[in-house]
Amino acid sequence: MTGKVEYYFKHNDGTHIQGIGLGTFASTEGDCERAVLNAIDVGYRHIDTAYFYGNEAEVGAAVRKKIDEGVIKREDIFITTKLWCNFHEPERVEYACRKTLKNIGLDYVDLYLIHWPFSYKYRGDNELIPKDANGEVELVDIDYLDTWGAMEKLVDLGLTKSIGVSNFNEEQLTRLLANCKIKPIHNQIEVHPALDQKKLIALCKKNGILVTAFSPLGRHNAELRTPTFMYDGKVQAIADKYNKSIAQVLIRYVIELGTIPLPKSSNPKRIEENFNVFDFKLDAEDHAILDSYHNGERVAHARQAIKSKYYPFNVYSACF
């Protein structure tokens, strides 16, 4: 088994997705386009972006370039993007999706996610986190079930092949499953040793929903030497055992939790390194060590939306 092995999962709607993807959050100003070009050359066939990231156009430019070069065909690449929180009114969903397709420069995306279950007041396409005169984020009460109904229509229109959610907790996902015509194929959530999400992953698996894992390495801060697991000698020892980097061990751990990781990098060497995680397997002792870092600590809190009744992290089980 080599690091170049391409392995795929089948969704509940029959589509397929590669078992690792390139994350692109906070990658702009040309970095994103270069990263996607490099990733495709390495072997990535799964790219994750979002309207909120401001880099859909860069993702699209890179994909189209590789199609024009004959490196890939459109059907070879799986592109995920997301509906932002200010477009949750059902009448705005199709508009938002079409705007995204214009940004990307393609006729369809493979997967369109509701980025968060809560909603912001619409103050224009580019006012992504609207605030009132007091500096408070302007939340609106839009039921994500209503948004989902509009998402289902996008599949019928051929604007996206599949639909799913992101950052939904167990209660929200269960409620959605009980009230949908088209079942979500994905729940994209934060997963790493400090937040292993085992309970939520199990619920998704039980219902035939794949989990994509963002921030599989946590949020790296070299000055503060955080997260702890990135700097612990015990994790370094695991990496040494397999002649791998700590990052590769962490990505492999997230894979073995039953998720599809989305490591983000714009560094060509790291992009390739992150992809080469299919030629080793962690043992029970490794898992016990990595499991020990679980404390429910998140990278993405979205605390600006904590007053929304749809804020997903007020539920204890959503963390543990």
Side-chain angles (χ1 to χ4, degrees):
M1 191 183 219
T2 70
K4 299 295 184 182
V5 168
E6 294 183 23
Y7 76 108
Y8 285 77
F9 289 99
K10 186 176 182 180
H11 293 122
N12 60 42
D13 65 357
T15 58
H16 291 78
I17 189 170
Q18 191 179 44
I20 191 169
L22 180 73
T24 63
F25 174 66
S27 181
T28 56
E29 298 181 357
D31 282 348
C32 179
E33 183 174 349
R34 287 187 290 272
V36 175
L37 291 170
N38 288 329
I40 291 172
D41 286 340
V42 165
Y44 286 83
R45 296 296 181 262
H46 171 195
I47 311 295
D48 183 86
T49 182
Y51 184 83
F52 179 71
Y53 300 170
N55 59 17
E56 289 176 321
E58 291 190 41
V59 169
V63 168
R64 294 195 311 274
K65 183 174 182 179
K66 288 301 176 182
I67 291 173
D68 291 342
E69 291 177 357
V71 176
I72 55 171
K73 297 177 181 178
R74 172 63 186 94
E75 58 267 27
D76 296 332
I77 193 93
F78 192 101
I79 300 174
T80 299
T81 190
K82 308 174 189 78
L83 177 77
W84 187 239
C85 308
N86 60 340
F87 295 112
H88 279 196
E89 293 95 335
E91 62 271 19
R92 295 192 195 279
V93 171
E94 181 182 336
Y95 167 80
C97 186
R98 291 187 182 278
K99 185 174 179 67
T100 273
L101 292 176
K102 185 176 180 181
N103 288 343
I104 296 177
L106 296 171
D107 294 331
Y108 70 92
V109 291
D110 297 274
L111 177 58
Y112 199 46
L113 305 178
I114 298 179
H115 203 147
W116 290 92
F118 52 78
S119 307
Y120 295 148
K121 187 176 183 64
Y122 180 79
R123 293 283 189 187
D125 292 358
N126 299 318
E127 195 161 347
L128 302 183
I129 304 181
K131 295 181 180 179
D132 62 21
N134 297 318
E136 293 286 325
V137 172
E138 293 186 294
L139 297 161
V140 288
D141 185 3
I142 300 170
D143 193 329
Y144 54 82
L145 293 183
D146 295 331
T147 304
W148 186 257
M151 294 277 287
E152 291 175 327
K153 294 176 182 178
L154 302 179
V155 178
D156 295 334
L157 291 170
L159 303 181
T160 181
K161 286 195 170 184
S162 306
I163 51 176
V165 296
S166 180
N167 298 299
F168 273 49
N169 66 32
E170 293 170 39
E171 291 181 3
Q172 291 166 335
L173 191 60
T174 299
R175 179 171 177 253
L176 177 60
L177 286 168
N179 292 278
C180 63
K181 294 178 181 177
I182 297 178
K183 188 176 179 179
I185 69 167
H186 263 253
N187 188 16
Q188 185 175 128
I189 56 176
E190 180 180 344
V191 186
H192 46 72
L195 187 71
D196 61 35
Q197 300 271 30
K198 289 183 179 180
K199 189 173 181 181
L200 184 50
I201 292 167
L203 175 69
C204 290
K205 184 177 181 179
K206 179 181 177 181
N207 287 280
I209 297 170
L210 289 180
V211 173
T212 39
F214 70 84
S215 296
L217 308 182
R219 179 168 290 168
H220 185 214
N221 187 315
E223 185 176 343
L224 297 176
R225 293 179 66 81
T226 57
T228 304
F229 49 79
M230 288 287 290
Y231 294 92
D232 195 313
K234 291 182 290 185
V235 182
Q236 183 63 62
I238 296 173
D240 293 343
K241 180 167 66 172
Y242 299 105
N243 194 27
K244 293 291 182 179
S245 69
I246 286 178
Q248 287 172 313
V249 166
L250 297 176
I251 293 167
R252 184 69 208 180
Y253 173 70
V254 167
I255 288 172
E256 292 183 15
L257 287 177
T259 77
I260 297 172
L262 300 171
K264 178 260 177 181
S265 181
S266 56
N267 181 296
K269 183 179 178 181
R270 290 193 185 122
I271 288 172
E272 184 168 11
E273 177 185 285
N274 292 343
F275 192 72
N276 291 333
V277 291
F278 305 131
D279 57 351
F280 73 109
K281 186 176 181 180
L282 302 173
D283 61 29
E285 183 181 355
D286 303 329
H287 273 271
I289 291 169
L290 292 165
D291 286 347
S292 72
Y293 298 100
H294 176 66
N295 59 12
E297 186 175 337
R298 294 181 178 276
V299 168
H301 301 91
R303 289 196 181 99
Q304 71 275 7
I306 200 166
K307 294 181 181 178
S308 171
K309 69 182 181 182
Y310 299 118
Y311 182 72
F313 307 142
N314 288 328
V315 179
Y316 183 81
S317 61
C319 293
F320 294 94

